[in-house]
Amino acid sequence: MITVTQDVFRLAQVFTISRGSRTEAKVLTVAITREGFTGYGECVPYARYDETLDSVTAEIQGLPSDVTRDALQGLLPAGAARNAVDCALWDLDAKIAGKPAWELAGLPKPGPEITAYTLSLDTPENMEQAARDHAFRPLLKIKLGTPDDMPRLEAVRRGAPDAQIIIDANEGWSAGVYADLAPHLVRLGVALVEQPLPAGEDDALLGMERPVPVCADESCHDRSSLPKLKGKYDVVNIKLDKAGGLTEALELKQEAIALGYDVMVGCMVGSSLAMAPATLIAQGVAVTDLDGPLLLAEDRDNPLRFDADGVHPPLAALWG
């Protein structure tokens, strides 16, 4: 039996990116029950990819109740619906087998990974204060993507002079804006820039100097995206909601590394249940960005643990 429920988690504060603001995370929780066990998965339907809570629910409800992980890959496209079901099936299979999901996947036992903490788009003054409040964190991610980003970046660097900084422009820059900003990114010690240009306009990156590594986010979904990234990007951002689950994400990571890309593992704003499978993908990658639960005012029972060592793999009571 497959059930889908809508859940809402309040955010600790307003979260803003170049496409808008939100005060809560609306997610779908999938539960699959077989042989007396129930596996769970979570997804975050994303309007950027023409997904809604209702459309993704309909996709999931259209699946056969006995769907397997292998069959699922051909029944749904990469996206939020397939992700929630795929992760629920991994959790279910782990429970039935009495083994952790990492072992079923043939992976080494996972450990904690340092994760980025995201500062949402705001005034330079507010971003400087947010950076100061979180300057103890080793890695800060800044949401930018406007024509007036330099004062924001300068402000964050003032607030957190020792933290490593990565930037997510969320497709908000033009080629000209990125070219103008690039030298300043180097000067301010920025380690990575995510998706500076719109996915449909990123051919402009071909032949462009990239003094700071550029990461494909909206331009990279699953393995089929990889051929279009050549010559434009240095890093690929793997998100389970884009890849369509842990099964594809494992393959995408392996293939991306084989092609010479560094890997970033990211997330939508969701609960610990959404991040739990992604901790397996995050092992040993260049950048981990699984801070979704840190942005929430409330979370699941048995949430992921975050401490000075980073984000820890989930307890079995949560997932896997």
Side-chain angles (χ1 to χ4, degrees):
M1 180 174 67
I2 303 175
T3 61
V4 190
T5 56
Q6 295 185 13
D7 291 303
V8 179
F9 296 91
R10 292 180 298 108
L11 301 189
Q13 57 192 35
V14 178
F15 186 76
T16 302
I17 66 172
S18 61
R19 283 191 285 269
S21 301
R22 69 181 78 175
T23 58
E24 56 190 15
K26 295 181 179 179
V27 310
L28 292 178
T29 305
V30 169
I32 302 178
T33 301
R34 293 174 194 163
E35 299 180 34
F37 296 94
T38 301
Y40 296 93
E42 178 184 312
C43 68
V44 182
Y46 203 45
R48 167 65 178 80
Y49 306 128
D50 299 320
E51 295 174 335
T52 66
L53 292 166
D54 289 342
S55 71
V56 172
T57 297
E59 284 186 277
I60 296 168
Q61 291 176 336
L63 291 169
S65 60
D66 61 350
V67 66
T68 63
R69 273 192 284 122
D70 286 343
L72 176 66
Q73 308 310 308
L75 291 174
L76 289 178
R82 196 176 78 189
N83 173 39
V85 177
D86 185 70
C87 290
L89 288 170
W90 275 101
D91 187 34
L92 178 65
D93 290 345
K95 287 172 176 171
I96 291 173
K99 297 179 179 180
W102 59 264
E103 189 174 331
L104 293 185
L107 301 172
K109 185 176 181 178
E113 291 284 340
I114 293 294
T115 180
Y117 180 85
T118 304
L119 305 181
S120 74
L121 186 65
D122 207 328
T123 64
E125 295 76 17
N126 288 345
M127 292 184 77
E128 180 173 351
Q129 184 59 53
R132 189 168 287 112
D133 292 342
H134 294 280
F136 67 93
R137 300 183 187 275
L139 179 60
L140 294 178
K141 174 174 168 175
I142 314 171
K143 289 290 189 179
L144 296 177
T146 76
D148 306 307
D149 280 337
M150 270 309 302
R152 293 183 171 95
L153 180 54
E154 297 268 13
V156 169
R157 181 46 88 197
R158 283 195 303 272
D162 299 322
Q164 189 176 49
I165 291 177
I166 59 178
I167 288 173
D168 186 0
N170 280 118
E171 305 180 281
W173 292 341
S174 66
V177 167
Y178 171 63
D180 288 343
L181 287 176
H184 298 287
L185 304 182
V186 175
R187 173 175 62 84
L188 292 166
V190 172
L192 180 82
V193 178
E194 265 187 272
Q195 200 69 42
L197 309 186
E201 300 173 19
D202 63 359
D203 280 354
L205 291 170
L206 289 167
M208 185 180 289
E209 186 178 355
R210 297 194 299 273
V212 173
V214 178
C215 178
D217 182 0
E218 285 86 350
S219 290
C220 181
H221 292 247
D222 57 9
R223 282 172 290 170
S224 69
S225 304
L226 292 174
K228 301 172 233 174
L229 307 181
K230 188 175 181 180
K232 306 176 192 177
Y233 297 98
D234 310 289
V235 186
V236 297
N237 187 344
I238 299 175
K239 292 179 180 174
L240 297 183
D241 275 314
K242 292 187 303 172
L246 179 60
T247 301
E248 173 62 23
L250 289 166
E251 298 286 349
L252 173 57
K253 178 182 178 180
Q254 185 175 19
E255 191 165 323
I257 291 171
L259 290 171
Y261 294 101
D262 281 334
V263 171
M264 175 179 183
V265 172
C267 64
M268 307 303 187
V269 182
S271 81
S272 283
L273 179 58
M275 311 299 130
T279 63
L280 304 189
I281 302 293
Q283 299 299 301
V285 302
V287 179
T288 296
D289 178 25
L290 296 178
D291 63 343
L294 296 177
L295 306 177
L296 302 180
E298 53 194 359
D299 199 358
R300 304 275 182 179
D301 293 336
N302 305 296
L304 291 177
R305 179 160 62 97
F306 293 83
D307 60 21
D309 293 323
V311 55
H312 290 254
L315 299 171
L318 174 67
W319 182 89

